Amino acid sequence: MAEDTRGKILKSAVQLFSKNNYHAVSMSEIAEGAGISKGTLYWHFDSKEDLFREITINGMNYFNNQFKKIVQTDQNSNEKIHNLIKFVLNTLVEHLNMIDVFRNNVELISNEFKDTIEAKHKENIDVVAEIIKQGIDEGIIKNENPVDISTMLLSVLFMPQTKELLDHAQVEKKINFIYDFIMNGISRKEN
């Protein structure tokens, strides 16, 4: 029951934070959206900042865990990169409002929490860099810094405009487009 209530709170908060910035959302609105009392909300979360932090950290941990699962498969680097792109885009389509949560609120968080987010982001970059290293070893990816390539790959997938890219197209087509763009770049190679 407590987990169900906590889940309702998180869902309500995500919906509200995606429509408004952090300061425009009240704990009363979050409680009302979750169908609980304000006291119950405060029993689960000490503050709105704690709630926002949990949403952010849970999201980053979710991506990190899924990236690790992709890394651990027996696939070649091409397949892993394709599956990584597919996972990210499908997850973002399912939770498009999460992009707005970060877009509307990231500049409002404390420097201490920004450091936490940066550390989590670095973890994700390092995990994806393992796929890039594999691709370099396989001769599929240019022999460049794997962390730099990983950073660029994740920047493409998590850019603020990703929502607009996904809103108006078939996801599978976009997955293939982004995969091709990342693996082949924008140059036209003549044979």
Side-chain angles (χ1 to χ4, degrees):
M1 177 75 169
E3 277 303 312
D4 186 43
T5 300
R6 196 169 183 85
K8 287 179 186 177
I9 293 167
L10 292 170
K11 184 176 181 180
S12 174
V14 165
Q15 289 173 341
L16 290 164
F17 287 142
S18 69
K19 293 175 186 161
N20 307 287
N21 79 37
Y22 175 85
H23 293 298
V25 176
S26 71
M27 290 295 268
S28 295
E29 290 172 310
I30 294 169
E32 184 178 321
I36 60 169
S37 71
K38 199 169 167 184
T40 301
L41 173 60
Y42 278 107
W43 188 83
H44 288 277
F45 295 96
D46 291 335
S47 67
K48 184 168 56 170
E49 185 176 347
D50 286 344
L51 181 53
F52 184 76
R53 284 175 184 251
E54 182 158 330
I55 290 167
T56 304
I57 298 301
N58 284 350
M60 295 190 88
N61 286 340
Y62 177 73
F63 279 103
N64 187 269
N65 291 332
Q66 295 305 313
F67 292 169
K68 285 177 181 175
K69 287 179 183 177
I70 293 169
V71 167
Q72 294 168 357
T73 65
D74 291 333
Q75 299 172 318
N76 67 40
S77 60
N78 272 335
E79 293 167 319
K80 288 180 181 182
I81 291 170
H82 189 271
N83 286 336
L84 178 93
I85 293 166
K86 184 176 182 176
F87 162 72
V88 169
L89 295 184
N90 282 330
T91 301
L92 292 177
V93 164
E94 276 182 50
H95 305 285
L96 274 177
N97 54 352
M98 286 303 294
I99 295 171
D100 289 331
V101 169
F102 296 109
R103 184 186 300 168
N104 291 341
N105 301 292
V106 75
E107 74 281 353
L108 303 171
I109 58 178
S110 69
N111 285 334
E112 174 196 333
F113 190 49
K114 283 180 185 176
D115 292 343
T116 302
I117 292 172
E118 283 300 317
K120 290 284 181 186
H121 186 60
K122 177 77 172 99
E123 285 179 36
N124 286 341
I125 289 170
D126 290 343
V127 171
V128 174
E130 292 180 42
I131 298 171
I132 303 304
K133 287 176 196 168
Q134 178 185 346
I136 292 169
D137 292 343
E138 292 169 350
I140 295 169
I141 297 175
K142 293 178 187 177
N143 190 10
E144 299 288 339
N145 183 321
V147 171
D148 290 348
I149 296 171
S150 174
T151 300
M152 294 295 289
L153 171 61
L154 291 177
S155 295
V156 167
L157 294 175
F158 290 102
M159 66 183 178
Q161 292 75 22
T162 301
K163 182 175 180 179
E164 286 75 25
L165 183 68
L166 296 175
D167 273 347
H168 306 291
Q170 297 172 338
V171 177
E172 194 63 38
K173 188 175 179 180
K174 288 298 180 177
I175 290 167
N176 293 329
F177 168 76
I178 292 172
Y179 171 79
D180 183 60
F181 178 81
I182 287 169
M183 295 306 288
N184 299 309
I186 62 170
S187 66
R188 182 175 177 174
K189 298 176 182 164
E190 301 290 339
N191 292 334

